[in-house]
Amino acid sequence: MTGSTDGSPHDSPHGFPHGSMRGSHGGAIRTMGALTAGTLVAVTTYTVALGGDGRLWFGWVVLGLLTLAMAVTQS
């Protein structure tokens, strides 16, 4: 049934109807990316203003790795 347009789950290469599951994960990845970038700005600002704190940078690295893992597994 590949290539049919009757709305069956085989209409997309991932087994989901077009626009169902795939779109929602893309938004989550973009949100995580924005959160990671915003957190980088906040941690950098904190470090410049008040001095470095290793726990903040460790937390940012963990957040970045989670974001990267989400992006890689969804591509």
Coordinates of all heavy atoms in Angstrom, one line a residue:
M1 N 0.8 -1.2 0.0 CA 0.0 0.0 0.0 C 0.8 1.3 0.0 O 0.3 2.3 0.2 CB -0.9 0.0 1.2 CG -2.0 -0.9 1.2 SD -3.2 -0.4 2.4 CE -4.6 -0.2 1.4
T2 N 2.1 1.2 -0.2 CA 3.0 2.3 -0.2 C 2.5 3.2 -1.3 O 2.3 2.8 -2.5 CB 4.4 1.9 -0.4 OG1 4.8 1.1 0.7 CG2 5.3 3.1 -0.4
G3 N 2.4 4.5 -1.0 CA 2.0 5.5 -2.0 C 0.5 5.7 -2.1 O 0.1 6.5 -2.9
S4 N -0.3 5.0 -1.3 CA -1.7 5.2 -1.4 C -2.0 6.5 -0.6 O -1.3 7.1 0.1 CB -2.4 4.1 -0.7 OG -2.2 4.1 0.7
T5 N -3.2 7.1 -0.9 CA -3.6 8.3 -0.3 C -4.9 8.2 0.4 O -5.7 9.1 0.5 CB -3.7 9.4 -1.4 OG1 -4.7 9.0 -2.4 CG2 -2.4 9.8 -2.0
D6 N -5.2 7.0 0.9 CA -6.5 6.7 1.6 C -6.4 7.0 3.1 O -7.4 6.7 3.8 CB -6.9 5.3 1.3 CG -6.0 4.3 1.9 OD1 -4.9 4.7 2.4 OD2 -6.3 3.1 1.9
G7 N -5.3 7.6 3.6 CA -5.2 7.9 5.0 C -4.7 6.8 5.8 O -4.7 6.9 7.1
S8 N -4.3 5.7 5.2 CA -3.8 4.6 6.0 C -2.4 4.9 6.6 O -1.7 5.8 6.1 CB -3.7 3.4 5.1 OG -2.6 3.5 4.2
P9 N -2.0 4.2 7.6 CA -0.7 4.5 8.3 C 0.5 4.3 7.4 O 1.6 4.7 7.7 CB -0.7 3.4 9.4 CG -2.1 3.0 9.7 CD -2.8 3.2 8.4
H10 N 0.3 3.7 6.2 CA 1.4 3.4 5.3 C 1.7 4.6 4.4 O 2.5 4.5 3.5 CB 1.2 2.2 4.5 CG 1.0 1.0 5.4 ND1 2.0 0.4 6.0 CD2 -0.1 0.3 5.7 CE1 1.6 -0.6 6.7 NE2 0.3 -0.7 6.6
D11 N 1.0 5.7 4.6 CA 1.1 6.9 3.7 C 2.5 7.6 3.9 O 2.9 8.3 3.1 CB 0.0 7.9 3.9 CG -1.3 7.4 3.2 OD1 -1.2 6.4 2.5 OD2 -2.3 8.0 3.5
S12 N 3.1 7.4 5.1 CA 4.4 8.1 5.3 C 5.4 7.0 5.6 O 5.1 5.9 6.0 CB 4.3 9.1 6.5 OG 4.3 8.4 7.7
P13 N 6.7 7.4 5.4 CA 7.7 6.4 5.5 C 7.9 5.9 7.0 O 8.5 4.9 7.3 CB 9.0 7.1 5.0 CG 8.7 8.5 5.0 CD 7.2 8.6 4.9
H14 N 7.4 6.6 8.0 CA 7.5 6.3 9.4 C 6.3 5.5 9.9 O 6.3 5.3 11.1 CB 7.8 7.6 10.2 CG 9.0 8.3 9.7 ND1 10.2 7.9 9.9 CD2 9.1 9.5 9.0 CE1 11.1 8.7 9.3 NE2 10.4 9.7 8.8
G15 N 5.3 5.3 9.1 CA 4.2 4.5 9.6 C 3.1 5.4 10.3 O 2.2 4.8 10.8
F16 N 3.3 6.7 10.3 CA 2.3 7.6 10.9 C 1.6 8.3 9.8 O 2.3 8.7 8.8 CB 2.9 8.5 11.9 CG 3.6 7.9 13.0 CD1 5.0 8.0 13.2 CD2 2.9 7.2 14.0 CE1 5.6 7.3 14.2 CE2 3.5 6.6 15.0 CZ 4.9 6.7 15.2
P17 N 0.4 8.7 9.9 CA -0.2 9.5 8.9 C 0.5 10.9 8.9 O 1.0 11.3 9.9 CB -1.7 9.7 9.4 CG -1.9 8.6 10.4 CD -0.6 8.2 10.9
H18 N 0.5 11.5 7.7 CA 1.2 12.8 7.6 C 0.7 13.8 8.6 O -0.4 14.0 8.8 CB 1.0 13.4 6.2 CG 1.6 12.5 5.1 ND1 3.0 12.5 5.0 CD2 1.1 11.7 4.2 CE1 3.2 11.7 3.9 NE2 2.1 11.2 3.4
G19 N 1.7 14.4 9.3 CA 1.4 15.4 10.3 C 1.0 15.0 11.7 O 0.6 15.8 12.5
S20 N 1.0 13.7 12.0 CA 0.6 13.3 13.3 C 1.7 13.4 14.3 O 1.8 14.3 15.0 CB 0.0 11.9 13.2 OG 1.0 11.0 12.9
M21 N 2.5 12.4 14.4 CA 3.5 12.3 15.5 C 4.8 13.1 15.1 O 5.3 13.7 16.0 CB 3.9 10.8 15.7 CG 2.9 10.0 16.3 SD 2.5 10.4 18.0 CE 4.0 9.7 18.8
R22 N 5.2 13.1 13.9 CA 6.4 13.8 13.5 C 6.5 15.3 13.8 O 7.4 15.8 14.3 CB 6.7 13.5 12.1 CG 8.1 13.9 11.7 CD 8.6 12.9 10.6 NE 9.8 13.4 10.1 CZ 11.0 13.0 10.5 NH1 11.1 12.1 11.5 NH2 12.1 13.4 9.9
G23 N 5.4 16.0 13.6 CA 5.4 17.4 13.8 C 5.5 17.8 15.3 O 6.1 18.8 15.6
S24 N 4.9 17.0 16.1 CA 4.9 17.3 17.5 C 6.3 17.2 18.1 O 6.7 18.0 19.0 CB 3.9 16.5 18.3 OG 4.3 15.1 18.3
H25 N 7.1 16.3 17.6 CA 8.5 16.1 18.1 C 9.4 17.2 17.6 O 10.3 17.6 18.3 CB 9.0 14.7 17.7 CG 8.4 13.6 18.4 ND1 8.5 13.5 19.8 CD2 7.7 12.6 18.0 CE1 7.8 12.4 20.2 NE2 7.3 11.8 19.1
G26 N 9.1 17.7 16.4 CA 9.9 18.8 15.9 C 9.7 20.1 16.7 O 10.7 20.8 17.0
G27 N 8.5 20.3 17.2 CA 8.3 21.5 18.1 C 9.0 21.3 19.4 O 9.5 22.3 20.0
A28 N 9.0 20.1 19.9 CA 9.6 19.8 21.2 C 11.1 20.0 21.1 O 11.8 20.6 22.0 CB 9.3 18.4 21.7
I29 N 11.7 19.6 20.0 CA 13.1 19.8 19.8 C 13.5 21.3 19.6 O 14.5 21.7 20.2 CB 13.6 19.0 18.6 CG1 13.5 17.5 18.9 CG2 15.1 19.3 18.2 CD1 13.7 16.6 17.7
R30 N 12.7 22.0 18.9 CA 12.9 23.4 18.8 C 12.8 24.1 20.2 O 13.6 25.0 20.5 CB 11.9 24.1 17.8 CG 12.4 23.9 16.4 CD 11.6 24.8 15.4 NE 10.2 24.3 15.2 CZ 9.9 23.4 14.4 NH1 10.8 22.7 13.7 NH2 8.6 23.0 14.3
T31 N 11.8 23.7 20.9 CA 11.7 24.3 22.3 C 12.9 24.0 23.2 O 13.4 24.9 23.9 CB 10.4 23.8 22.9 OG1 9.3 24.1 22.1 CG2 10.2 24.3 24.3
M32 N 13.3 22.7 23.1 CA 14.5 22.4 23.9 C 15.7 23.1 23.4 O 16.6 23.6 24.2 CB 14.8 20.9 23.8 CG 13.9 20.0 24.6 SD 14.2 20.2 26.4 CE 15.7 19.4 26.5
G33 N 15.9 23.3 22.1 CA 17.0 24.1 21.6 C 17.0 25.6 22.1 O 18.0 26.1 22.4
A34 N 15.8 26.1 22.1 CA 15.6 27.5 22.5 C 15.9 27.6 24.0 O 16.6 28.5 24.5 CB 14.2 28.0 22.2
L35 N 15.4 26.6 24.8 CA 15.7 26.6 26.2 C 17.2 26.4 26.5 O 17.8 27.1 27.4 CB 14.9 25.4 26.9 CG 15.1 25.2 28.4 CD1 14.6 26.4 29.1 CD2 14.5 24.0 28.8
T36 N 17.9 25.6 25.7 CA 19.3 25.4 25.9 C 20.1 26.7 25.6 O 21.0 27.1 26.3 CB 19.8 24.2 25.0 OG1 19.1 23.0 25.4 CG2 21.3 24.0 25.2
A37 N 19.7 27.3 24.5 CA 20.4 28.6 24.1 C 20.1 29.7 25.1 O 21.1 30.4 25.5 CB 19.9 29.0 22.7
G38 N 18.9 29.8 25.6 CA 18.6 30.8 26.6 C 19.3 30.5 27.9 O 19.8 31.4 28.6
T39 N 19.5 29.2 28.3 CA 20.2 28.9 29.5 C 21.7 29.2 29.3 O 22.3 29.6 30.3 CB 20.0 27.4 29.8 OG1 18.6 27.1 29.9 CG2 20.6 27.0 31.1
L40 N 22.2 29.0 28.1 CA 23.6 29.3 27.9 C 23.8 30.8 28.1 O 24.8 31.2 28.8 CB 24.0 29.0 26.5 CG 25.4 29.4 26.1 CD1 26.5 28.7 27.0 CD2 25.7 29.0 24.6
V41 N 22.9 31.6 27.6 CA 23.1 33.1 27.8 C 23.0 33.4 29.3 O 23.8 34.2 29.8 CB 22.0 33.8 27.0 CG1 21.9 35.3 27.4 CG2 22.2 33.7 25.5
A42 N 22.0 32.8 30.0 CA 21.9 33.1 31.5 C 23.1 32.7 32.3 O 23.6 33.4 33.1 CB 20.6 32.4 32.0
V43 N 23.6 31.5 32.0 CA 24.8 31.0 32.7 C 26.0 31.8 32.4 O 26.8 32.2 33.3 CB 25.0 29.5 32.4 CG1 26.4 29.0 32.9 CG2 23.9 28.6 32.9
T44 N 26.2 32.2 31.1 CA 27.3 33.1 30.8 C 27.2 34.4 31.5 O 28.2 35.0 32.0 CB 27.3 33.3 29.2 OG1 27.5 32.0 28.6 CG2 28.5 34.1 28.8
T45 N 26.0 35.0 31.5 CA 25.8 36.3 32.2 C 26.1 36.2 33.6 O 26.7 37.1 34.2 CB 24.3 36.8 31.9 OG1 24.1 36.9 30.5 CG2 24.1 38.1 32.6
Y46 N 25.6 35.1 34.3 CA 25.9 34.9 35.7 C 27.4 34.8 36.0 O 27.9 35.4 36.9 CB 25.1 33.6 36.1 CG 25.3 33.3 37.6 CD1 24.4 33.8 38.6 CD2 26.4 32.5 38.1 CE1 24.6 33.5 39.9 CE2 26.6 32.3 39.4 CZ 25.7 32.8 40.3 OH 25.8 32.5 41.6
T47 N 28.1 34.0 35.1 CA 29.5 33.8 35.3 C 30.2 35.2 35.1 O 31.2 35.4 35.9 CB 30.0 32.8 34.2 OG1 29.3 31.6 34.5 CG2 31.5 32.6 34.3
V48 N 29.9 36.0 34.2 CA 30.6 37.3 34.0 C 30.3 38.2 35.2 O 31.2 38.9 35.7 CB 30.1 37.9 32.6 CG1 30.6 39.4 32.5 CG2 30.7 37.1 31.5
A49 N 29.0 38.2 35.6 CA 28.6 39.2 36.7 C 29.1 38.7 38.0 O 29.6 39.6 38.8 CB 27.1 39.4 36.7
L50 N 29.0 37.5 38.4 CA 29.2 37.0 39.8 C 30.3 36.0 39.9 O 30.6 35.6 41.0 CB 27.9 36.5 40.3 CG 26.7 37.4 40.3 CD1 25.4 36.7 40.8 CD2 27.0 38.6 41.2
G51 N 30.9 35.5 38.8 CA 31.9 34.5 38.9 C 31.4 33.2 38.5 O 30.2 32.9 38.6
G52 N 32.3 32.3 38.2 CA 31.9 31.0 37.7 C 31.3 30.1 38.8 O 31.7 30.1 39.9
D53 N 30.4 29.2 38.4 CA 29.9 28.2 39.3 C 29.8 26.9 38.4 O 29.1 26.8 37.5 CB 28.5 28.6 39.7 CG 28.0 27.6 40.8 OD1 28.6 26.6 41.1 OD2 26.8 27.9 41.3
G54 N 30.7 25.9 38.8 CA 30.8 24.7 38.1 C 29.5 23.9 38.0 O 29.2 23.3 36.9
R55 N 28.6 24.0 39.0 CA 27.3 23.3 38.9 C 26.4 23.9 37.9 O 25.7 23.1 37.2 CB 26.6 23.4 40.3 CG 27.4 22.6 41.4 CD 26.7 22.8 42.7 NE 26.9 24.2 43.1 CZ 26.4 24.8 44.2 NH1 25.6 24.1 45.0 NH2 26.6 26.0 44.5
L56 N 26.4 25.2 37.6 CA 25.6 25.8 36.6 C 26.1 25.3 35.2 O 25.3 24.9 34.3 CB 25.7 27.3 36.6 CG 24.9 27.9 37.8 CD1 25.1 29.4 37.7 CD2 23.5 27.6 37.7
W57 N 27.4 25.3 35.0 CA 27.9 24.8 33.7 C 27.7 23.3 33.5 O 27.4 22.9 32.4 CB 29.4 25.1 33.6 CG 29.6 26.6 33.3 CD1 30.0 27.5 34.2 CD2 29.4 27.3 32.1 NE1 30.1 28.8 33.6 CE2 29.7 28.7 32.3 CE3 28.9 26.9 30.9 CZ2 29.5 29.6 31.3 CZ3 28.8 27.9 29.9 CH2 29.1 29.2 30.1
F58 N 27.8 22.5 34.6 CA 27.5 21.1 34.5 C 26.1 20.9 34.1 O 25.8 20.1 33.2 CB 27.8 20.4 35.8 CG 27.4 18.9 35.8 CD1 28.2 18.0 35.1 CD2 26.3 18.5 36.4 CE1 27.9 16.7 35.1 CE2 26.0 17.2 36.4 CZ 26.8 16.3 35.7
G59 N 25.2 21.7 34.7 CA 23.7 21.6 34.4 C 23.5 22.0 32.9 O 22.7 21.3 32.2
W60 N 24.2 23.0 32.4 CA 24.0 23.4 31.1 C 24.5 22.3 30.1 O 23.9 22.0 29.1 CB 24.7 24.7 30.8 CG 24.4 25.1 29.4 CD1 23.3 25.8 28.9 CD2 25.3 24.9 28.2 NE1 23.4 25.9 27.5 CE2 24.6 25.4 27.1 CE3 26.5 24.3 28.1 CZ2 25.2 25.3 25.8 CZ3 27.1 24.2 26.8 CH2 26.4 24.7 25.7
V61 N 25.6 21.7 30.4 CA 26.1 20.6 29.6 C 25.2 19.5 29.5 O 24.9 18.9 28.4 CB 27.5 20.2 30.0 CG1 28.0 18.9 29.4 CG2 28.6 21.3 29.8
V62 N 24.6 19.1 30.7 CA 23.6 18.0 30.7 C 22.4 18.4 29.8 O 21.9 17.6 29.0 CB 23.2 17.7 32.1 CG1 22.0 16.7 32.2 CG2 24.4 17.1 32.9
L63 N 21.9 19.6 30.0 CA 20.8 20.1 29.2 C 21.1 20.0 27.7 O 20.3 19.6 26.8 CB 20.4 21.5 29.6 CG 19.2 22.1 28.8 CD1 17.9 21.3 29.0 CD2 19.0 23.5 29.3
G64 N 22.3 20.5 27.3 CA 22.7 20.4 25.9 C 22.8 19.0 25.4 O 22.4 18.8 24.2
L65 N 23.3 18.1 26.2 CA 23.4 16.7 25.7 C 22.0 16.1 25.6 O 21.8 15.3 24.6 CB 24.3 15.9 26.7 CG 25.8 16.2 26.7 CD1 26.5 15.4 27.8 CD2 26.4 15.9 25.4
L66 N 21.1 16.4 26.5 CA 19.7 15.9 26.3 C 19.1 16.5 25.0 O 18.4 15.7 24.3 CB 18.9 16.3 27.5 CG 19.2 15.5 28.8 CD1 18.4 16.2 30.0 CD2 18.8 14.1 28.6
T67 N 19.3 17.7 24.7 CA 18.8 18.3 23.5 C 19.4 17.7 22.3 O 18.7 17.4 21.3 CB 19.1 19.9 23.5 OG1 18.5 20.4 24.7 CG2 18.5 20.5 22.3
L68 N 20.7 17.5 22.3 CA 21.4 16.8 21.2 C 20.8 15.4 21.0 O 20.6 15.0 19.9 CB 22.9 16.8 21.4 CG 23.7 16.2 20.3 CD1 23.6 17.0 19.1 CD2 25.2 16.1 20.8
A69 N 20.7 14.7 22.1 CA 20.1 13.3 22.0 C 18.7 13.3 21.4 O 18.4 12.4 20.6 CB 20.1 12.7 23.4
M70 N 17.9 14.2 21.8 CA 16.5 14.3 21.2 C 16.6 14.6 19.7 O 15.9 14.0 19.0 CB 15.7 15.4 21.9 CG 15.2 15.0 23.3 SD 14.2 16.4 24.0 CE 12.9 16.6 22.8
A71 N 17.5 15.5 19.3 CA 17.6 15.9 17.9 C 18.1 14.7 17.1 O 17.6 14.4 16.0 CB 18.5 17.1 17.8
V72 N 19.1 14.0 17.6 CA 19.6 12.9 16.9 C 18.6 11.7 16.7 O 18.5 11.1 15.7 CB 20.9 12.4 17.5 CG1 21.4 11.1 17.0 CG2 22.0 13.5 17.3
T73 N 17.9 11.4 17.8 CA 17.0 10.3 17.8 C 15.8 10.6 16.9 O 15.1 9.6 16.5 CB 16.6 9.8 19.2 OG1 16.0 10.9 19.8 CG2 17.7 9.3 20.0
Q74 N 15.4 11.8 16.7 CA 14.2 12.2 15.9 C 14.6 12.4 14.4 O 13.6 12.6 13.7 CB 13.5 13.4 16.5 CG 13.0 13.1 17.9 CD 12.0 12.0 17.9 OE1 11.1 11.9 17.0 NE2 12.1 11.1 18.9
S75 N 15.8 12.5 14.1 CA 16.2 12.8 12.7 C 16.1 11.5 11.8 O 16.2 10.5 12.2 CB 17.5 13.3 12.5 OG 18.1 14.0 13.5

